Amino acid sequence: MSGIWTLTSVAEAGVSESGPVAEAVTLRANIMEMTQAAEEAVLAPADCGAWPADLRAALAARIARLNGEEQVAQRYAARQRGQEYAALADPSEDGTSLGLLSVVSFMDAVASTPRDIAAEDISALLTAGIADADIVRLCELNAFLAYQLRLIAGLRLMTEAAA
């Protein structure tokens, strides 16, 4: 077998290395490997724009916590090399002390109620001085986390159904 069992989404879903779920995952190994590559691309891209890797990791941990995924949150929080943004991993922190209230509010809204996001939410970020490309970067991070957390939930359901 490839390194599929070291991939985070598979491990965090509790998939064992044998059985029907393991067979399904193995058949889709390329998807799992691309998921891992996508994680690296959104958390530590070559061009971070306004959002350094430590901030991205804190926001990823926050999104995981907002979705009840503490194990995932801890893994993302551990990616931070410094403590500058560590408090943002806690959903009770609003980002004001770091001048990131508008960013944190937007990320929380997208993570919690994406269907309610409207043009005004993007306008508020623009008004706060955030560049278009950096808004896209925020959305990419949130979109990836939504995908990954749903993937983990689906793998868990498959594992439970197979038990």
Side-chain angles (χ1 to χ4, degrees):
M1 270 188 234
S2 71
I4 197 163
W5 303 109
T6 62
L7 298 177
T8 338
S9 298
V10 175
E12 288 170 345
V15 176
S16 68
E17 292 189 38
S18 62
V21 178
E23 290 172 20
V25 168
T26 300
L27 288 172
R28 289 157 183 85
N30 62 334
I31 294 171
M32 298 303 169
E33 290 164 1
M34 288 187 281
T35 297
Q36 196 70 39
E39 178 180 296
E40 289 307 311
V42 298
L43 285 166
D47 181 3
C48 286
W51 320 123
D54 281 357
L55 174 58
R56 289 165 181 260
L59 291 173
R62 179 186 193 88
I63 292 167
R65 284 196 172 104
L66 287 170
N67 284 278
E69 289 290 345
E70 185 58 31
Q71 181 181 1
V72 178
Q74 288 177 15
R75 183 174 58 79
Y76 283 131
R79 287 183 66 124
Q80 297 177 79
R81 288 173 243 138
Q83 292 299 306
E84 182 179 1
Y85 302 107
L88 294 179
D90 178 353
S92 68
E93 170 61 46
D94 70 2
T96 300
S97 64
L98 295 168
L100 294 171
L101 176 62
S102 61
V103 169
V104 170
S105 297
F106 177 76
M107 294 300 278
D108 286 359
V110 173
S112 301
T113 54
R115 71 180 174 277
D116 295 339
I117 300 301
E120 295 80 29
D121 298 302
I122 302 299
S123 295
L125 291 173
L126 291 168
T127 300
I130 299 169
D132 289 343
D134 288 324
I135 294 170
V136 170
R137 289 177 179 103
L138 292 174
C139 293
E140 288 170 343
L141 178 62
N142 228 315
F144 173 76
L145 264 292
Y147 159 74
Q148 185 181 51
L149 296 174
R150 282 169 182 75
L151 174 64
I152 291 168
L155 288 170
R156 280 192 191 127
L157 287 173
M158 289 173 60
T159 300
E160 290 168 12

CSV table of all heavy atoms in Angstrom, one decimal, residues 65-92:
chain,number,residue,atom,x,y,z
A,65,ARG,N,-12.8,23.8,14.9
A,65,ARG,CA,-13.5,23.8,16.2
A,65,ARG,C,-15.0,24.3,16.0
A,65,ARG,O,-15.9,23.7,16.7
A,65,ARG,CB,-12.8,24.8,17.2
A,65,ARG,CG,-11.6,24.2,17.7
A,65,ARG,CD,-11.0,24.9,18.9
A,65,ARG,NE,-9.9,24.1,19.5
A,65,ARG,CZ,-8.6,24.4,19.3
A,65,ARG,NH1,-8.3,25.5,18.7
A,65,ARG,NH2,-7.7,23.6,19.8
A,66,LEU,N,-15.2,25.2,15.2
A,66,LEU,CA,-16.6,25.6,14.9
A,66,LEU,C,-17.4,24.5,14.3
A,66,LEU,O,-18.7,24.5,14.5
A,66,LEU,CB,-16.6,26.8,13.9
A,66,LEU,CG,-16.1,28.2,14.4
A,66,LEU,CD1,-16.0,29.2,13.3
A,66,LEU,CD2,-17.1,28.7,15.5
A,67,ASN,N,-16.8,23.5,13.8
A,67,ASN,CA,-17.5,22.4,13.2
A,67,ASN,C,-17.3,21.1,14.1
A,67,ASN,O,-17.6,20.0,13.6
A,67,ASN,CB,-16.9,22.1,11.8
A,67,ASN,CG,-17.5,23.0,10.8
A,67,ASN,OD1,-18.6,22.9,10.3
A,67,ASN,ND2,-16.7,24.1,10.5
A,68,GLY,N,-16.9,21.3,15.3
A,68,GLY,CA,-16.8,20.2,16.3
A,68,GLY,C,-15.8,19.2,16.0
A,68,GLY,O,-15.9,18.0,16.5
A,69,GLU,N,-14.7,19.6,15.4
A,69,GLU,CA,-13.6,18.6,15.0
A,69,GLU,C,-12.3,19.0,15.8
A,69,GLU,O,-11.4,19.6,15.3
A,69,GLU,CB,-13.3,18.6,13.5
A,69,GLU,CG,-14.4,18.0,12.7
A,69,GLU,CD,-14.5,16.5,12.9
A,69,GLU,OE1,-13.5,15.9,13.4
A,69,GLU,OE2,-15.5,15.9,12.5
A,70,GLU,N,-12.3,18.6,17.1
A,70,GLU,CA,-11.2,19.0,18.0
A,70,GLU,C,-9.9,18.4,17.5
A,70,GLU,O,-8.9,19.1,17.6
A,70,GLU,CB,-11.6,18.7,19.4
A,70,GLU,CG,-10.5,19.2,20.4
A,70,GLU,CD,-10.3,20.7,20.4
A,70,GLU,OE1,-11.2,21.5,20.1
A,70,GLU,OE2,-9.1,21.1,20.7
A,71,GLN,N,-9.9,17.1,17.1
A,71,GLN,CA,-8.7,16.5,16.7
A,71,GLN,C,-8.1,17.2,15.5
A,71,GLN,O,-6.8,17.5,15.5
A,71,GLN,CB,-8.9,15.0,16.3
A,71,GLN,CG,-7.7,14.3,15.9
A,71,GLN,CD,-8.0,12.8,15.6
A,71,GLN,OE1,-9.1,12.4,15.6
A,71,GLN,NE2,-7.0,12.1,15.2
A,72,VAL,N,-8.9,17.6,14.6
A,72,VAL,CA,-8.4,18.3,13.4
A,72,VAL,C,-7.9,19.7,13.8
A,72,VAL,O,-6.8,20.2,13.4
A,72,VAL,CB,-9.5,18.5,12.3
A,72,VAL,CG1,-9.0,19.3,11.1
A,72,VAL,CG2,-10.0,17.1,11.9
A,73,ALA,N,-8.6,20.3,14.7
A,73,ALA,CA,-8.2,21.7,15.2
A,73,ALA,C,-6.9,21.6,15.9
A,73,ALA,O,-6.0,22.5,15.7
A,73,ALA,CB,-9.3,22.2,16.2
A,74,GLN,N,-6.6,20.6,16.7
A,74,GLN,CA,-5.4,20.5,17.4
A,74,GLN,C,-4.2,20.3,16.4
A,74,GLN,O,-3.1,20.8,16.6
A,74,GLN,CB,-5.4,19.3,18.4
A,74,GLN,CG,-6.3,19.7,19.6
A,74,GLN,CD,-6.4,18.5,20.6
A,74,GLN,OE1,-5.6,17.5,20.5
A,74,GLN,NE2,-7.3,18.6,21.5
A,75,ARG,N,-4.5,19.5,15.4
A,75,ARG,CA,-3.4,19.3,14.4
A,75,ARG,C,-3.1,20.6,13.7
A,75,ARG,O,-1.9,20.9,13.5
A,75,ARG,CB,-3.9,18.3,13.3
A,75,ARG,CG,-2.8,18.0,12.3
A,75,ARG,CD,-3.2,16.8,11.4
A,75,ARG,NE,-4.4,17.0,10.7
A,75,ARG,CZ,-4.5,17.8,9.6
A,75,ARG,NH1,-3.5,18.4,9.1
A,75,ARG,NH2,-5.7,17.9,9.0
A,76,TYR,N,-4.1,21.4,13.3
A,76,TYR,CA,-3.8,22.7,12.6
A,76,TYR,C,-3.1,23.7,13.6
A,76,TYR,O,-2.2,24.4,13.2
A,76,TYR,CB,-5.1,23.3,12.0
A,76,TYR,CG,-5.5,22.6,10.8
A,76,TYR,CD1,-6.8,22.2,10.6
A,76,TYR,CD2,-4.6,22.4,9.7
A,76,TYR,CE1,-7.2,21.5,9.4
A,76,TYR,CE2,-4.9,21.8,8.5
A,76,TYR,CZ,-6.2,21.4,8.4
A,76,TYR,OH,-6.6,20.8,7.2
A,77,ALA,N,-3.6,23.7,14.8
A,77,ALA,CA,-3.0,24.6,15.8
A,77,ALA,C,-1.5,24.3,16.0
A,77,ALA,O,-0.7,25.2,16.2
A,77,ALA,CB,-3.7,24.5,17.1
A,78,ALA,N,-1.2,23.0,15.9
A,78,ALA,CA,0.2,22.6,16.1
A,78,ALA,C,1.1,23.0,14.9
A,78,ALA,O,2.3,23.0,15.1
A,78,ALA,CB,0.3,21.0,16.3
A,79,ARG,N,0.5,23.4,13.8
A,79,ARG,CA,1.3,23.8,12.7
A,79,ARG,C,1.9,25.2,12.9
A,79,ARG,O,2.8,25.6,12.1
A,79,ARG,CB,0.5,23.8,11.4
A,79,ARG,CG,0.1,22.5,10.8
A,79,ARG,CD,-0.7,22.6,9.6
A,79,ARG,NE,0.2,23.2,8.5
A,79,ARG,CZ,0.4,22.7,7.3
A,79,ARG,NH1,-0.2,21.5,7.0
A,79,ARG,NH2,1.1,23.3,6.4
A,80,GLN,N,1.4,25.9,13.8
A,80,GLN,CA,1.9,27.3,14.1
A,80,GLN,C,3.3,27.2,14.7
A,80,GLN,O,3.6,26.5,15.6
A,80,GLN,CB,1.0,28.0,15.0
A,80,GLN,CG,-0.4,28.2,14.4
A,80,GLN,CD,-1.3,28.9,15.4
A,80,GLN,OE1,-1.3,30.1,15.5
A,80,GLN,NE2,-2.2,28.1,16.1
A,81,ARG,N,4.2,28.0,14.1
A,81,ARG,CA,5.6,28.1,14.6
A,81,ARG,C,5.7,29.1,15.7
A,81,ARG,O,6.6,29.1,16.5
A,81,ARG,CB,6.5,28.4,13.4
A,81,ARG,CG,6.7,27.2,12.5
A,81,ARG,CD,7.5,27.6,11.3
A,81,ARG,NE,6.6,27.4,10.2
A,81,ARG,CZ,6.4,28.2,9.2
A,81,ARG,NH1,7.2,29.2,9.0
A,81,ARG,NH2,5.6,27.9,8.2
A,82,GLY,N,4.8,30.1,15.7
A,82,GLY,CA,4.9,31.2,16.7
A,82,GLY,C,3.5,31.2,17.4
A,82,GLY,O,2.6,30.5,17.1
A,83,GLN,N,3.4,32.2,18.3
A,83,GLN,CA,2.2,32.3,19.1
A,83,GLN,C,1.4,33.6,18.7
A,83,GLN,O,0.3,33.8,19.3
A,83,GLN,CB,2.5,32.4,20.6
A,83,GLN,CG,3.0,31.1,21.1
A,83,GLN,CD,2.0,30.0,21.0
A,83,GLN,OE1,0.9,30.1,21.4
A,83,GLN,NE2,2.4,28.9,20.3
A,84,GLU,N,1.8,34.3,17.7
A,84,GLU,CA,1.2,35.6,17.4
A,84,GLU,C,-0.3,35.4,17.1
A,84,GLU,O,-1.1,36.3,17.5
A,84,GLU,CB,1.9,36.2,16.2
A,84,GLU,CG,1.3,37.5,15.8
A,84,GLU,CD,2.0,38.1,14.6
A,84,GLU,OE1,3.0,37.5,14.0
A,84,GLU,OE2,1.6,39.3,14.2
A,85,TYR,N,-0.7,34.4,16.4
A,85,TYR,CA,-2.1,34.2,16.0
A,85,TYR,C,-2.8,33.1,16.8
A,85,TYR,O,-3.9,32.8,16.5
A,85,TYR,CB,-2.2,33.9,14.5
A,85,TYR,CG,-1.6,35.0,13.7
A,85,TYR,CD1,-0.3,34.8,13.1
A,85,TYR,CD2,-2.2,36.2,13.6
A,85,TYR,CE1,0.2,35.8,12.3
A,85,TYR,CE2,-1.6,37.3,12.8
A,85,TYR,CZ,-0.4,37.0,12.2
A,85,TYR,OH,0.1,38.0,11.4
A,86,ALA,N,-2.1,32.5,17.7
A,86,ALA,CA,-2.6,31.3,18.4
A,86,ALA,C,-4.0,31.5,19.0
A,86,ALA,O,-4.9,30.6,19.0
A,86,ALA,CB,-1.7,30.8,19.5
A,87,ALA,N,-4.3,32.6,19.6
A,87,ALA,CA,-5.6,32.9,20.2
A,87,ALA,C,-6.7,32.8,19.2
A,87,ALA,O,-7.8,32.4,19.6
A,87,ALA,CB,-5.6,34.3,20.9
A,88,LEU,N,-6.5,33.0,18.0
A,88,LEU,CA,-7.6,33.0,17.0
A,88,LEU,C,-8.1,31.6,16.7
A,88,LEU,O,-9.2,31.4,16.2
A,88,LEU,CB,-7.1,33.6,15.6
A,88,LEU,CG,-6.8,35.1,15.6
A,88,LEU,CD1,-6.3,35.5,14.3
A,88,LEU,CD2,-8.0,35.9,16.1
A,89,ALA,N,-7.4,30.6,17.2
A,89,ALA,CA,-7.9,29.2,17.1
A,89,ALA,C,-9.0,29.0,18.0
A,89,ALA,O,-9.8,28.0,17.8
A,89,ALA,CB,-6.7,28.2,17.4
A,90,ASP,N,-9.2,29.8,19.0
A,90,ASP,CA,-10.3,29.8,19.9
A,90,ASP,C,-11.5,30.6,19.4
A,90,ASP,O,-11.4,31.8,19.2
A,90,ASP,CB,-9.9,30.3,21.3
A,90,ASP,CG,-11.0,30.3,22.3
A,90,ASP,OD1,-12.2,30.0,22.0
A,90,ASP,OD2,-10.7,30.6,23.5
A,91,PRO,N,-12.7,29.9,19.1
A,91,PRO,CA,-13.8,30.6,18.5
A,91,PRO,C,-14.4,31.7,19.4
A,91,PRO,O,-15.1,32.6,18.9
A,91,PRO,CB,-14.8,29.5,18.3
A,91,PRO,CG,-14.0,28.3,18.2
A,91,PRO,CD,-12.9,28.5,19.1
A,92,SER,N,-14.0,31.8,20.7
A,92,SER,CA,-14.5,32.9,21.5
A,92,SER,C,-13.6,34.2,21.3
A,92,SER,O,-14.0,35.3,21.7
A,92,SER,CB,-14.5,32.5,23.0
A,92,SER,OG,-13.1,32.3,23.4
